[in-house]
């Protein structure tokens, strides 16, 4: 039995042409968009999760390393969901290392924000927690949009463990990035720090808010009290 074929058929059979067109516009797959050239079948995320839950033990890592190259967005996303499940449920450090390596070897196919956000902190962040974080700084300096977002979002795992240093260093490194998808990622991670340690985020923002992009600042202060938000937005801090 060809499990890869069954998996792809299970996804494709649940496609919807109208949704596919909407997804293509939403993820900017038009010429000049950040998702230029991507293809969609129009499958909901809950459906993808359900299919991934069924297949993640039936498919080998070799199968997944091929599937992550697929031209259709939902195939790549569901494959990443399966890799996350395999990683999180594995008690074998060698298997976890193999999954992390597979992920890193195929970062060029983790090429939209939903693909990054559903995988980076679950796999790369978790794998690097107690290891050197040098790789994340290499990704952040790569001048590659999705690798840079992977670096930033991977920090979410550290933040959940109340470890903030790498996130703050990367935020400072990416502070003046030109793309709003990095502005949003940095602002989001700063906000997550603030949810756990208000003083740490406040101190960082007080130092940098005058020069950071407006979108980044708005994301970072979203959960602040309104009077504090206005102080930041109006330059009164």
């Amino acid at each position: 039995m060809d499990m890869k074929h069954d998996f792809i058929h299970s996804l494709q059979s649940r496609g919807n042409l109208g949704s596919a067109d909407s997804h293509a516009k939403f993820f900017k797959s038009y010429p000049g968009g950040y998702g230029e050239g991507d293809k969609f079948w129009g499958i909901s995320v809950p459906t993808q999760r359900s299919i991934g839950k069924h297949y993640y033990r039936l498919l080998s890592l070799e199968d997944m390393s091929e599937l992550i190259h697929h031209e259709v967005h939902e195939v790549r996303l569901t494959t990443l969901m399966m890799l996350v499940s395999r990683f999180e449920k594995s008690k074998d450090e060698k298997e976890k290392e193999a999954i992390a390596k597979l992920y890193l070897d195929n970062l060029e196919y983790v090429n939209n924000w939903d693909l990054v956000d559903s995988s980076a902190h679950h796999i790369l962040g978790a794998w690097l927690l107690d290891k050197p974080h040098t790789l994340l700084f290499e990704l952040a300096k790569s001048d590659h949009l999705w690798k840079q977002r992977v670096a930033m979002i991977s920090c979410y795992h550290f933040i959940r463990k109340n470890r903030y240093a790498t996130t703050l260093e990367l935020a400072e490194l990416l502070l003046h990035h030109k793309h709003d998808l990095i502005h949003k990622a940095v602002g989001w991670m700063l906000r997550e720090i603030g949810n756990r340690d208000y003083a740490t985020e406040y101190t960082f923002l007080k130092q940098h808010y005058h020069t950071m992009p407006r979108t980044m600042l708005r994301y970072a202060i979203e959960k602040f009290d309104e009077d504090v938000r206005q102080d930041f937005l109006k330059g009164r801090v």
Side-chain angles (χ1 to χ4, degrees):
M1 181 181 297
D2 186 343
M3 282 297 169
K4 283 187 297 182
H5 178 271
D6 286 356
F7 166 73
I8 291 172
H9 177 73
S10 293
L11 282 173
Q12 189 170 17
S13 65
R14 290 164 174 81
N16 178 282
L17 186 59
S19 296
D21 289 340
S22 296
H23 291 173
K25 293 175 183 176
F26 183 71
F27 289 106
K28 300 189 178 182
S29 66
Y30 48 76
Y34 56 69
E36 182 175 355
D38 210 350
K39 301 181 186 303
F40 294 84
W41 283 337
I43 308 163
S44 71
V45 170
T47 297
Q48 291 177 71
R49 290 195 186 283
S50 177
I51 292 171
K53 186 176 180 180
H54 176 74
Y55 280 97
Y56 84 97
R57 285 293 186 194
L58 300 175
L59 292 163
S60 68
L61 293 184
E62 290 75 15
D63 291 334
M64 294 185 201
S65 70
E66 293 180 26
L67 289 165
I68 204 171
H69 294 194
H70 202 280
E71 65 176 356
V72 173
H73 187 100
E74 291 95 337
V75 176
R76 300 197 306 282
L77 178 55
T78 311
T79 301
L80 288 166
M81 292 175 179
M82 293 190 294
L83 284 169
V84 168
S85 294
R86 283 284 287 269
F87 185 92
E88 292 183 337
K89 294 180 184 299
S90 178
K91 300 186 184 303
D92 183 341
E93 286 303 307
K94 288 187 177 180
E95 182 180 36
K96 287 190 170 188
E97 181 178 9
I99 294 168
K101 185 177 186 304
L102 189 161
Y103 187 74
L104 285 168
D105 287 346
N106 291 282
L107 280 184
E108 65 184 289
Y109 302 102
V110 186
N111 56 356
N112 214 310
W113 60 263
D114 61 325
L115 304 176
V116 173
D117 296 0
S118 63
S119 61
H121 58 295
H122 292 296
I123 297 175
L124 192 55
W127 177 246
L128 292 176
L129 179 65
D130 294 315
K131 299 177 179 66
H133 296 169
T134 309
L135 173 62
L136 298 183
F137 290 91
E138 292 174 0
L139 294 175
K141 294 174 183 177
S142 67
D143 198 30
H144 184 282
L145 176 64
W146 303 119
K147 290 180 180 179
Q148 290 171 322
R149 189 168 172 110
V150 163
M152 199 71 240
I153 301 303
S154 291
C155 293
Y156 198 6
H157 189 83
F158 311 153
I159 294 168
R160 287 174 167 175
K161 301 294 184 181
N162 300 314
R163 303 185 191 183
Y164 310 131
T166 296
T167 308
L168 296 173
E169 288 183 53
L170 286 172
E172 193 164 13
L173 181 64
L174 295 170
L175 199 67
H176 303 298
H177 198 281
K178 295 180 180 180
H179 205 291
D180 71 333
L181 285 173
I182 300 300
H183 303 170
K184 292 173 181 178
V186 173
W188 173 20
M189 292 302 103
L190 291 173
R191 184 177 73 231
E192 291 299 333
I193 290 176
N195 288 342
R196 295 158 176 81
D197 187 333
Y198 178 84
T200 294
E201 184 191 6
Y202 187 94
T203 299
F204 182 90
L205 291 177
K206 187 174 180 179
Q207 181 180 357
H208 295 292
Y209 83 100
H210 280 297
T211 61
M212 69 170 47
R214 201 68 167 176
T215 296
M216 188 185 295
L217 177 62
R218 287 186 178 279
Y219 267 62
I221 64 176
E222 184 178 309
K223 298 294 180 67
F224 284 8
D225 290 341
E226 184 59 23
D227 58 339
V228 180
R229 286 185 68 256
Q230 291 303 317
D231 284 343
F232 274 106
L233 290 172
K234 296 177 180 178
R236 299 190 298 236
V237 176

